[in-house]
Amino acid sequence: MGVVVDKNHPIMKNVKTFDAGGDSWHIKARETERNSRIIAKYDDNEILIAEKQRKENMGRVVVLNINPISNKFYGSSGFWSPRTDGARIISNSIEYITNH
């Protein structure tokens, strides 16, 4: 994980580190759609987490630019490390979109 743009965002609660793995499987993206906001970035400045408020009363969309599988299941360094907070990022995101 590189820069956390919004350290107080609920998705970042108790998130200290994130290691996407040696292959760091994610989409190469540095910009978001209009009216979206970036929450965190990778070390290479690519987007890690972003969100967008959909039309009024239609909820939020959270984008996690990660492969949801950790290397715990595949034993490959190409997936995120379960020693970091990937699972917390995913669970915080689910809680955030279901409570807002």
Side-chain angles (χ1 to χ4, degrees):
M1 182 166 52
V3 175
V4 177
V5 178
D6 186 351
K7 293 178 175 139
N8 295 318
H9 195 283
I11 292 174
M12 300 310 297
K13 183 179 179 181
N14 297 319
V15 173
K16 306 287 187 248
T17 63
F18 179 70
D19 179 352
D23 293 333
S24 189
W25 293 3
H26 65 277
I27 297 168
K28 302 296 181 189
R30 293 180 186 240
E31 297 178 20
T32 60
E33 290 184 5
R34 192 180 70 182
N35 299 323
S36 299
R37 66 187 191 117
I38 297 170
I39 298 166
K41 297 180 179 184
Y42 283 100
D43 289 336
D44 64 1
N45 212 31
E46 302 288 346
I47 297 169
L48 172 58
I49 306 167
E51 77 168 322
K52 182 176 183 175
Q53 176 68 44
R54 296 191 314 171
K55 292 181 182 179
E56 189 175 324
N57 298 321
M58 295 202 46
R60 291 185 172 98
V61 174
V62 170
V63 176
L64 302 179
N65 191 10
I66 64 173
N67 186 321
I69 303 166
S70 78
N71 66 23
K72 178 179 181 180
F73 297 100
Y74 286 96
S76 167
S77 63
F79 299 96
W80 61 267
S81 171
R83 294 182 195 151
T84 63
D85 295 316
R88 185 171 308 278
I89 290 170
I90 294 168
S91 65
N92 284 354
S93 297
I94 293 169
E95 183 176 344
Y96 177 68
I97 62 171
T98 57
N99 289 327
H100 290 87

